[in-house]
């Protein structure tokens, strides 16, 4: 049997909006190029070799737990891994982002395959099992995948884009094919995340890196139904589901309606405003600007305190950056952030308040 | 003497929140690559040669007036033209965005020059005069420049960026140098726009393409004071000032405080929500998603109608896209949008209401 993190781990408790001793924190891309121990591994293997090697993926997944003392591990993997088994080859360069064999037109969309992740993405399941053994119950392990809309942009544009012209042309010019593609991508996301949960992931995150390029009405009409279906199926496993939307300031009410346990918000919207719009029924993750970690430590602490202050008074805040940590970040600054969040948590100040606030919030949900 | 557009032109009236016969519309980057007549000119000259040739710049500036029947012309120019006279060379490629000789550190910032635009950017003034003659009073001519923060990102990053890492490192790591650079860029923006007004520009727009990368509190602390100084000086000329912020959904209250006559908002925020947050004292420009023009004409008309409906009931709406028109756009779709806005304006429906609403709105400002 695998050692599980205790169900009472503060990260999992916060996902369920239960009171915690201190605010839990993890960092998007915490296993990444800003860490010298990660770069040492990457000198020997490519990005894709690393993602496909269960032992090495487990090794780099655990690195930031040891160094930073964060409250959750996130599997070293990539948001696009479902595309190749669907029939769309992906190549990863260190610069310029991934390149994807683009899908164009209804016939090509119709030809995209469904697949069995326990066969085609078996290395992900194996990496999860090895990571869980290496973590030995210290912190929970998060699995993840790209969201259907974000996967659609990579598949349709053939990679990164600034204008999203091809994606939007599909959305506005051929909405039926767009819906078909979102639906097929949604099915792949769902089966891949369920496989990650079966393999031992204790929470899952759906990364919608490009949700912010959609208007609220387009998100609602095209994307929300697909997301609701995925989230409902994942939640049936009992594992918390995090939906993260970069640039999602205009979408918050709709993001709450995905049914996610936790909505991750970027750094562009003040956390208290975001949470007021998300409503009582959801936990919130965020939202320090990743570039804030370029500041000196006292300035980082001030900015962290401001976010903690905005989240105080109700349980269900998971501290994170608003987007992935940048490769130029000094690791000591990331550690200083984690320490600050662990030391300075408004909820901690008055233990008697915690129960009252918690039961109040839970009662309202 | 130049022929002026009548002071009662609907674009200028809307800038002042006066009642109009129909909602005025122009399109960001309306003189651009989506037009075959523009591409024909660009086959002969580079982007920079075109911007620096008063005759050709005037020619392409007038092209969309003829084809689309928009209500304002905007000078063919570039947001970065103040950088070379300050000492930072810029090169323009058709792909990958402009490259700028990067400025790093306080000494390099201190060495940036101030300059006389009537000498160093004389070709801009000449292009404005020739364009005004070619327009012959048909529609007003808008001049423009990049905003200090946006110029800072190009100057510090050396071009386009996804992460804004160098800019944010300056902002958080050396705020005094950041303020000095913003101040020097602000002085250049101010003198360049005043020169454009002297040369005949009948409105000016400050493009803050990357304002959306700043949190509201950073915008307020670092950028707002510089913007307020520029806007105040420009408004003293009596010419309307438009401040456009891409990705500015979290900044709207601060954008109103720049003092601009008109705030341009992108397509990510519903126009009525944006206007409610901007308040009564400002006109609003926007905000159709540029990629909406990839849809068929009935869908474009529905999306345009939705925006017109959100803006109905008070004067001061200038229709525009939420960002620049994309090169892949069919020109006929842009024309269909202009026609729709000119035909279908809620304000037009009930003439008796117009005066009442206008005086109400003006009375409250």
């Amino acid at each position: 049997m695998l050692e599980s993190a205790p169900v009472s781990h503060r990260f999992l408790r916060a996902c369920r909006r239960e009171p915690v001793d201190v605010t839990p924190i993890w960092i998007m891309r915490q296993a990444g190029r800003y860490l010298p121990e990660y770069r040492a591994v990457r000198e020997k293997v490519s990005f894709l070799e690393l993602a496909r090697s269960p032992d090495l993926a487990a090794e780099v997944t655990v690195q930031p737990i040891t160094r930073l003392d964060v409250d959750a591990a996130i599997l070293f993997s990539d948001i696009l891994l479902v595309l190749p088994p669907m029939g769309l080859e992906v190549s990863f360069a260190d610069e310029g982002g991934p390149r994807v064999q683009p899908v164009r037109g209804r016939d090509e969309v119709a030809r995209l395959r469904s697949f069995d992740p326990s066969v085609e993405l078996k290395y992900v399941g194996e990496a999860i099992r090895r990571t869980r053994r290496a973590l030995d119950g210290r912190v929970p392990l998060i699995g993840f995948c790209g969201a259907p809309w974000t996967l659609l942009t990579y598949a349709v544009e053939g990679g990164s884009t600034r204008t999203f012209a091809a994606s939007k042309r599909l959305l506005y010019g051929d909405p039926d094919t767009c819906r078909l593609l979102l639906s097929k991508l949604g099915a792949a996301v769902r089966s891949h995340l369920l496989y990650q949960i079966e393999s031992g992931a204790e929470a899952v995150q759906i990364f919608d890196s490009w949700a912010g390029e959609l208007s609220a009405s387009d998100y609602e009409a095209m994307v929300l139904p697909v997301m609701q279906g995925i989230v409902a199926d994942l939640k049936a496993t009992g594992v918390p589901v995090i939906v993260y939307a970069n640039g999602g300031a205009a979408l918050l009410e709709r993001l709450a309606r995905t049914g996610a346990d936790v909505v991750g918000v970027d750094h562009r919207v003040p956390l208290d405003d975001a949470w007021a719009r998300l409503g009582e029924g959801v936990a919130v993750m965020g939202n320090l600007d990743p570039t804030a970690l370029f500041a000196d430590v006292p300035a980082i602490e001030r900015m962290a305190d401001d976010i903690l202050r905005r989240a105080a008074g109700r349980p269900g805040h998971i501290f994170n950056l608003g987007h992935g940590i940048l490769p130029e970040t000094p690791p000591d600054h990331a550690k200083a952030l984690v320490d600050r969040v662990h030391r300075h948590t408004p909820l901690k100040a008055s233990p008697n308040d915690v129960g009252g606030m918690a039961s109040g919030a839970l009662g309202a949900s």
Side-chain angles (χ1 to χ4, degrees), chain A residues 230-255:
Chain A
I230 298 170
V231 171
D233 283 358
L234 295 172
K235 280 176 75 171
T237 66
V239 153
V241 179
I242 308 169
V243 168
Y244 163 74
N246 185 33
L251 304 177
L252 291 166
E253 294 82 358
R254 277 81 176 181
L255 294 170

Side-chain angles (χ1 to χ4, degrees), chain A residues 51-76:
Chain A
R52 288 180 175 166
S53 158
D55 277 333
L56 291 177
E59 179 184 338
V60 299
T61 300
V62 176
Q63 284 173 350
I65 314 306
T66 308
R67 183 190 274 258
L68 300 182
D69 195 28
V70 285
D71 296 300
I74 183 160
L75 186 69
F76 184 84

